[in-house]
Amino acid sequence: MGQRSIIDVTVSGSTTMTYFQRELERIRAEVYANDWQIRNIIETRRFLLENFDRSISLDDISHARFTSKFHLLRLFKRYYGQTPSQFVTELRIAKAKELLRSGRSVTETCFEIGFESPASFSNLFRTRVGLAPKNFQKMSNIR
């Protein structure tokens, strides 16, 4: 007495659920409790990959993902180790390097990756890469 039946437990009349099924449901709920969060952050990352060349604010992202911007920020950082803004900046710098190596001008590259000012692009590029975009392009052509 007092022990759970291993065979069948009647749940709401006609539906039966074994002890093992209930345990499986309990474990599934514990293990995959954050399944929605993970899917949401993966979709957020996908959204950023598809839209990094546009001006994107945290408000835009949270609106697109139907999530609080602060919650989204915390989750993104937890799963990817960086903020969405840092992620977009990395994408833009990587794309800028690719475009500069292919021979695009600094101004074309700047606008193509979503910057509105060549000066702000050049400053960020220099900070991240250690070279001005034009110098990076010259160095890439030498190799």
Side-chain angles (χ1 to χ4, degrees):
M1 204 139 164
Q3 289 185 328
R4 293 184 171 160
S5 169
I6 294 178
I7 302 172
D8 284 325
V9 175
T10 302
V11 179
S12 67
S14 63
T15 305
T16 60
M17 181 180 281
T18 66
Y19 171 76
F20 295 112
Q21 287 173 322
R22 287 190 329 177
E23 284 298 302
L24 183 62
E25 290 296 321
R26 184 187 62 77
I27 292 169
R28 183 180 296 147
E30 283 180 23
V31 172
Y32 298 110
N34 61 359
D35 191 41
W36 178 87
Q37 286 181 353
I38 292 170
R39 276 190 271 129
N40 194 21
I41 292 304
I42 289 171
E43 287 300 318
T44 299
R45 184 176 183 271
R46 183 175 300 146
F47 177 81
L48 294 174
L49 285 169
E50 292 171 356
N51 295 288
F52 75 91
D53 56 345
R54 299 181 192 168
S55 176
I56 306 171
S57 70
L58 189 56
D59 286 328
D60 297 334
I61 301 166
S62 65
H63 183 73
R65 300 302 319 146
F66 305 107
T67 305
S68 154
K69 62 183 178 183
F70 300 111
H71 187 61
L72 184 71
L73 188 65
R74 278 192 303 274
L75 290 177
F76 197 90
K77 191 162 185 164
R78 179 189 305 161
Y79 288 108
Y80 290 110
Q82 57 189 349
T83 66
S85 174
Q86 292 168 332
F87 180 72
V88 167
T89 299
E90 276 189 20
L91 288 173
R92 287 179 172 176
I93 294 298
K95 185 68 176 178
K97 287 179 177 178
E98 180 185 317
L99 293 172
L100 290 168
R101 282 187 192 115
S102 73
R104 295 277 177 84
S105 74
V106 173
T107 304
E108 287 174 335
T109 300
C110 163
F111 293 123
E112 193 159 326
I113 61 171
F115 280 85
E116 295 178 1
S117 158
S120 63
F121 165 66
S122 293
N123 285 336
L124 180 68
F125 191 91
R126 186 178 304 117
T127 302
R128 293 296 178 111
V129 178
L131 293 170
K134 195 68 178 171
N135 291 340
F136 174 84
Q137 195 171 40
K138 287 178 186 172
M139 296 291 286
S140 297
N141 290 336
I142 291 173
R143 292 180 191 163

